[in-house]
Amino acid sequence: MNKKFIACGVILAATFMAKPLFAQEQSAEKSNNLSVYRVTATKVNDLVHTKLDVSFDYAKRYLYGKEWVTLKPHFYPTDSLTLDAQGMDIKTVALVGAKGNTPLNYVYNDNKLYITLNKKYTNAEKYTVYITYTAKPDELKVKGSAAITDAKGLYFINPDGADKNKPTQIWTQGETESSSAWFPTIDKPDQKTTDEISITVKSKYTTLSNGKLVSQKANADGTRTDTWKMDLPHSPYLFMMAVGEFKITKDAYKGKEVSYYLEPKFAPYAKQIFGKTPNMIQFYSNLLGVDYPWNKYSQVVARDYVSGAMENTSATLHGEQVQKTDRELLDGNEEGTIAHELFHQWFGDYVTAESWSNLTMNESFATFGEVIWHGHDAGQDAEDKSRYDKLQSYLGSTKKGESPVLARFYYNDKEDMFDNISYAKGSIILYALKNQMGDAAFYKSLNRYLTTNAFKNGETHQLRLAMEDVTGKDWSPYFNQWYYNGGHPILSIDYGYENGKATIKVKQTQDASVQTFTLPIKIDIYAGGKKIRKEILINSREQNFSFEVSSKPDLIDFDVDKILVGETNDNKTAENYYFQYKNAPSYANRIEALQFIMQSKANSGQQVLLEGLKDKSADLRALSIDGINLEDANIKAAALPILLQLAKTDKDTEVRSGAITKLAETGDQTYKSLMSESIKDRSYRVIAAGIGGLAKLAPQESIAALAGLDADTKDHIAASIASLYISDPKDEHQSFYEQIMLTGDRNKIFSVIGQYFQYLRANTNPSVTERGIKNISAAIERLKLQAYLNKQLAGAYSATAEGKSKQAATATGAAKDNLSKQAELFKKGAADLGKE
């Protein structure tokens, strides 16, 4: 699964000081008072085959199901069977026999179906139970998580067709244990079963499920029954169905079907969205030495999906953010997510984490898969950028080096496992292991793990044993440190030079409760025009190292390969960073140098930022644009021609838009024509920058230009429009924000809600205030965003109420009344949010 982390461009105010608000991934904070050891589910019975026949009642949002589930005792003889069956009406439970079905006694209680079999079976005997049932997912009361916001298993999207802007769809979401909300099963990841699913739908709808479409039968009542068959065993949480008016675009890999299911509007862009998939399959197959194991690979895009994407076996389901037109793709794609879900087809589907405690065996690998794909497709710099981003994502959710254990057998809820530990940290731990082991041995070890545990389950110990089998080395110390203990090192590093020696003093300053780490580190010493490679071993809280060198080093590049899963704080000088950017130019070194220069604001570093404008990495060009100081006349003279060139011709739209914005900030009317030309661009991001730039250079012209844009463009640059209306807070602009609150998805809401708040704060009409607060609350309720927004919005409302009250105290007449009314409305809004 790929968690969709949405960085909202939300700006709220506390005491009228703007500050960013983010809807963030689940943090990496340690849980306290955990006492329950989460054992792997005991296997009393083993699933063997699951046959389903399902149809739907769209009005009631029900699934009517028939199931034939074949099982056998795992080892010990048993005369009972317990199945997970969430929120169902159970109609029939019977044993299937040669001469017909025999009713079985059962008790259905607390979402469990307890069945008494007709005799005691041994593990040499299979038996089949027939069940008829009605699944009622919308009546099921279940809790989701930060990664998976809902857990009712089966979703009816716009089933009555009331929303003319949204298609009617049905889709499922099984992870973690929600497949049992649409069919009775043993809903644990350590179970594996083959399956056959017959889906009856209106003939206009397309269906998708696991495995191969083996038959399609037209029925007399205008429906059609599609039967999908999966001949290889997989876990119940990986079962899936999708139903809707999808258009299928077909591709291929070695004769196997590769297909893309999209809404008709987006079908023309299917190959632009998903077209790299066959190459990804080839790359991963070659790298792992295990050819893609399933008989097809499909990707479908669903509306209102509850997470980022889900790696259902042979049929990945994506949220609608992956579905883009060619214009939208100019400003970015979801290629990382596509790679992540595909890598799961090996790590997660072919070999599945034995328990949620071992989620790292699924998610760390899939996230690692993203990283290496970027390297294969776009080069080492892209790989290093991806890896750097994962590290920063992890570190940003921690304090004092503390974080939970990766292979985590103590947790409050299984949903807690879907955090920055299992994803980001786990992926860079794998990358560091690859670095230490060497690529050949690492990938041979992954092959050993996959082939040894094919179509079964795996845990971290089996990975370690595979690596030891291949390399002949005991990897327990590495696994003990990174998999079975938590936290990360924070290194305080002092570089020095005395008596012809370069000195390095290292202290591990992470919290005392965090382990002391053993860290093999490579360093490069740049001195006297030469680079000297050294290897050191850090294994205590304080250590000193020294090396003879010919002169004072220009730079000591610590952790050359940038595999340290941790933080460093050092005493490098500005000159060290300037040298670093030019002479030790790994991605991490370059971005670190540029960030230092921007933070230090030293004019001496501006020459490096000028070079950064031409960096091979687009995001570092964009960073350099942001940091360049145009108040310095010499820098400005050198930078403006480069910025103009970037604004006109850079291939990356983030760079172009950044350059346009920077040029607009000069206030130079010379660039008005550039702004006007930018508004004609195909990139929405560039258009938004042009509108914003024109607002700075010619405000009235920007409003006119905005009015001239088509509805599609306005919709895509909503965040920019929302920002413009803050400085022009007329009552009639309320309808713009209101429409987004009523219909926008999570991304759209997050992109404008901060600006909407600022518009409401700037507007002076209490009626607008009252309606606006209601609109925001309705959007939060509709999309279940309380956990992300309530607390910070309540704080912003309270601060605004206080500010309005102070303004009212010095005002008179109607202005005083309006300010007082607004203060009360914001105060009430804060109180209402605090109750939820």
Side-chain angles (χ1 to χ4, degrees), residues 91 105-106 166 256 267 330 513 522 600 631 710 715 751:
K91 309 291 188 181
N105 292 325
Y106 68 91
K166 184 180 291 185
K256 293 182 179 181
L330 292 172
S513 64
K522 297 174 187 173
S600 70
E631 293 180 7
D710 61 78
D715 181 57
S751 73

Side-chain angles (χ1 to χ4, degrees), residues 81-133:
L81 168 65
T82 301
L83 297 176
D84 300 295
Q86 300 186 59
M88 296 179 179
D89 288 343
I90 305 297
K91 309 291 188 181
T92 307
V93 179
L95 185 76
V96 176
K99 297 181 180 179
N101 295 346
T102 304
L104 295 173
N105 292 325
Y106 68 91
V107 174
Y108 181 51
N109 188 32
D110 291 334
N111 292 329
K112 298 278 188 182
L113 184 57
Y114 301 95
I115 302 169
T116 303
L117 301 174
N118 64 323
K119 68 165 193 170
K120 187 166 281 191
Y121 287 83
T122 72
N123 67 353
E125 299 175 282
K126 295 178 184 177
Y127 61 92
T128 300
V129 175
Y130 172 68
I131 305 169
T132 61
Y133 62 96

Side-chain angles (χ1 to χ4, degrees), residues 151-197:
K152 60 186 180 182
L154 175 67
Y155 297 79
F156 290 82
I157 306 303
N158 195 28
D160 56 4
D163 187 342
K164 302 306 177 187
N165 297 314
K166 184 180 291 185
T168 297
Q169 296 177 346
I170 297 172
W171 47 262
T172 62
Q173 167 56 38
E175 194 172 33
T176 50
E177 296 174 8
S178 299
S179 286
S180 51
W182 63 278
F183 65 97
T185 188
I186 303 173
D187 207 350
K188 298 296 178 185
D190 64 343
Q191 290 283 342
K192 297 259 178 166
T193 170
T194 54
D195 75 73
E196 181 179 318
I197 304 178

Side-chain angles (χ1 to χ4, degrees), residues 637-669:
L640 288 180
I642 304 173
L643 288 170
L644 186 59
Q645 190 67 27
L646 292 174
K648 291 181 176 180
T649 65
D650 200 280
K651 292 180 180 179
D652 187 88
T653 60
E654 182 182 6
V655 174
R656 288 175 60 204
S657 63
I660 290 164
T661 300
K662 195 74 173 182
L663 290 169
E665 288 172 359
T666 65
D668 189 337
Q669 295 294 311

Side-chain angles (χ1 to χ4, degrees), residues 137-407:
D138 280 57
E139 297 173 21
L140 182 63
K141 302 300 180 185
V142 287
K143 186 185 79 167
S145 69
I148 310 163
T149 59
D150 205 342
K152 60 186 180 182
L154 175 67
Y155 297 79
F156 290 82
I157 306 303
N158 195 28
D160 56 4
D163 187 342
K164 302 306 177 187
N165 297 314
K166 184 180 291 185
T168 297
Q169 296 177 346
I170 297 172
W171 47 262
T172 62
Q173 167 56 38
E175 194 172 33
T176 50
E177 296 174 8
S178 299
S179 286
S180 51
W182 63 278
F183 65 97
T185 188
I186 303 173
D187 207 350
K188 298 296 178 185
D190 64 343
Q191 290 283 342
K192 297 259 178 166
T193 170
T194 54
D195 75 73
E196 181 179 318
I197 304 178
S198 295
I199 310 169
T200 298
V201 296
K202 293 178 183 178
S203 57
K204 68 178 180 178
Y205 291 130
T206 298
T207 70
L208 176 64
S209 189
N210 313 99
K212 186 178 182 181
L213 180 62
V214 294
S215 72
Q216 291 188 299
K217 175 189 170 187
N219 304 315
D221 61 355
T223 65
R224 188 186 71 252
T225 301
D226 292 353
T227 299
W228 294 83
K229 194 170 184 181
M230 169 61 80
D231 289 329
L232 299 172
H234 62 140
S235 294
Y237 80 88
L238 295 165
F239 279 41
M240 74 85 70
M241 294 186 299
V243 177
E245 293 186 73
F246 302 112
K247 186 167 183 181
I248 306 171
T249 301
K250 292 192 175 181
D251 221 329
Y253 167 75
K254 288 189 175 179
K256 293 182 179 181
E257 179 185 322
V258 176
S259 51
Y260 318 125
Y261 288 62
L262 292 155
E263 292 171 35
K265 171 187 172 182
F266 295 95
Y269 317 108
K271 291 287 183 77
Q272 290 168 263
I273 299 167
F274 293 118
K276 291 183 180 179
T277 301
N279 289 337
M280 288 181 182
I281 297 174
Q282 182 75 67
F283 170 60
Y284 290 148
S285 294
N286 292 345
L287 196 68
L288 298 171
V290 176
D291 202 25
Y292 178 76
W294 314 105
N295 58 14
K296 69 112 168 32
Y297 187 56
S298 300
Q299 296 177 86
V300 60
V301 182
R303 289 291 189 99
D304 297 348
Y305 185 51
V306 293
S307 190
M310 180 63 207
E311 67 275 10
N312 308 297
T313 313
S314 78
T316 285
L317 189 149
H318 288 277
E320 61 201 85
Q321 65 277 355
V322 80
Q323 191 166 244
K324 298 181 180 182
T325 65
D326 58 341
R327 281 189 71 185
E328 290 170 321
L329 287 166
L330 292 172
D331 296 328
N333 58 45
E334 299 293 327
E335 193 175 304
T337 298
I338 293 167
H340 179 110
E341 303 309 327
L342 176 59
F343 208 63
H344 266 310
Q345 299 297 315
W346 287 266
F347 290 91
D349 298 7
Y350 187 64
V351 183
T352 306
E354 187 176 55
S355 68
W356 302 118
S357 292
N358 285 286
L359 186 65
T360 179
M361 301 310 297
N362 292 5
E363 296 301 348
S364 300
F365 274 98
T367 310
F368 171 83
E370 290 178 55
V371 172
I372 59 174
W373 166 255
H374 287 307
H376 174 76
D377 182 63
Q380 188 64 45
D381 212 51
E383 182 170 308
D384 291 347
K385 176 190 182 311
S386 180
R387 189 160 52 94
Y388 177 87
D389 289 344
K390 308 300 181 197
L391 176 61
Q392 299 310 311
S393 177
Y394 160 68
L395 294 177
S397 62
T398 66
K399 295 176 182 177
K400 300 179 181 179
E402 295 181 327
S403 64
V405 176
L406 183 55

